[in-house]
Amino acid sequence: MRDLRMLRPLTTATIALTVLAGCSGGDDNKSTDQPSGGTSASSTPSGPDLATFDPPKAFAPVSALAEGDVAGQPNRYYLKAGMVGQTSLYAQRTGLTAVTLSANSWQLPSADVQSTETADLTPPMAVQLNGKEVIAIAYAQMVQGSGTQKAHAQVSFQWIDPLEGKVLAAAAADLTTLIGPGTGASDFLAPAYDPATGQIAVSLSTQSSEPTSKVHEFTVFADPATQKATTIPSVEVAGVLNGTVVGVKGSQQEGAKDNAIVQADGVTGAIKKSVPVPAMNYLRPAGSGSKHGYFAGTGYLNGAQDSVDHVNSLYAVDIATGAVVETKLPPSADGDDATCFSDHLAAVVCNRSLADQKKAIAGFDDATGKLAWSYDSSANRVVPAITTMFNGLVYGTADDKAVLLDAKTGEDVPAPAATPTGTPTDGTTPDDSSSFGSGNVGGWGDTSLMFGNQQSPAMVSKYGSVYLQEPGNKASPRTEKILVVQKAIG
């Protein structure tokens, strides 16, 4: 088993109850009796039943967990936070570290042999497998060669029991045929997934500017039911549903006229439908809903004034049928960009970047793909930066404060009033004996490494939420970001 860096021991501190906004995750379920995928787990007796809120609007911090760099290589840009059921997740290239709100803990490596190197990873996802909620994650990896065999790239997938860390299903796609031997792949786009089936589709690009492959971007589809993965060349994904994938294909450059929205069979990789979008020089996946995939498009207008020489649109594509709904946006001096979030129920909300550093936000009815509400920074409201969504709530940050919005209307949702019961202590500075990789999981209930204001969560379940915070002066110089774990209190 590959050596997985462990969380360092932390000191005990009191807990401050405060209000925060949070999102994504759901019910906690027991694991099925299937073989483990090489987990390393420990557990303590669980406490009383945990309170749940659906959706939660307020949180109390219960732990701040620190992790060091990996083999001397900075991990800062490869850290992800997750919350599936009552399990908080600290994800990095070496694998997952998990601690549940009932104080069980486990670790699971990204690869079971040291010769397999992981270049990138997706955030943890909450999906269903055999009627139970599980963790899904994907890794971009390079498998080192042996003998006369060259190294080759692969994308590996794991579906994991959240309480025990057992691998319930796994799949891997060998990328040799697609991009050639010795060529690596990394830089995941945001993954698309079908929560009901656990199917995942991820897009990534080759690392080399002059690879031996004929493609530079591609999608990998994986199904936990069959434990098989398929590659779809030259497509960047924005949605997956019941084995069908929607994405974009084209050269993506100034003057391009070949960009198209495509619908593909995930199992075979065959393109079933293609809708040309010649007006858009750039057409990029923006996010995935439960029924639609979303794309942001921009195109240059010859002869137009500089202030309005780009056309912009957001496209919602029905994953099942391939039907396209276009929402035209005002012309701008520069191309718009968008990042969309979903509760995988009925709503999708997008942050948009406009010209002159202006911001906008737009909400869509995912049943129809049509625009439901929107406003920009010229309105009498601050445009929040969305961090996640969960069961009808949008969680984000406005003027450095956590805020909540109703996903269907865009209206502010008030959070419950805080009930302070104390503040975290200063704690003690960790000594040299508490080294990274010591094999100990950080003490539960410790919040001494927290500092500053609480932040809007990166992921939420009905039990709690998580976010990543920059290390403060209480952390070792080798510390990467701090995982702050919170329980739902309202």
Side-chain angles (χ1 to χ4, degrees), residues 9 16 38 43 87 114 120 141 157 163 204-205 210 225 237 277 284 290 296 300 307 333 361 365 373 375 416 475 478:
S43 64
T87 301
Q114 193 169 2
D120 202 1
Q141 299 175 323
F157 301 82
L163 289 183
L204 58 166
S205 58
E210 297 181 0
V237 68
V277 190
R284 296 294 190 186
S290 61
Y300 179 69
S307 59
I361 189 169
D365 177 358
W373 57 271
Y375 69 90
R478 292 179 58 192

Side-chain angles (χ1 to χ4, degrees), residues 238-251:
V240 59
L241 180 66
N242 293 327
T244 297
V245 171
V246 293
V248 64
K249 191 172 185 177
S251 54

Side-chain angles (χ1 to χ4, degrees), residues 125-129 132-134 192-200 240-241 288-290 342-345:
M125 295 161 271
V127 301
Q128 295 287 314
L129 181 60
K132 299 181 182 296
E133 186 174 64
V134 303
Y193 61 96
D194 182 351
T197 64
Q199 295 170 345
I200 307 169
V240 59
L241 180 66
S288 178
S290 61
S342 173
D343 58 5
H344 284 90
L345 291 175

Side-chain angles (χ1 to χ4, degrees), residues 234-236 246-252 256-263 271 273-285 295 315 317 324:
S234 304
V235 171
E236 295 183 348
V246 293
V248 64
K249 191 172 185 177
S251 54
Q252 308 295 338
K257 300 294 183 181
D258 62 346
N259 292 322
I261 293 170
V262 299
Q263 183 192 48
I271 302 298
K273 186 176 183 179
S274 181
V275 180
V277 190
M280 299 299 162
N281 304 144
Y282 298 92
L283 187 62
R284 296 294 190 186
F295 303 84
Y315 298 88
V317 183
V324 177

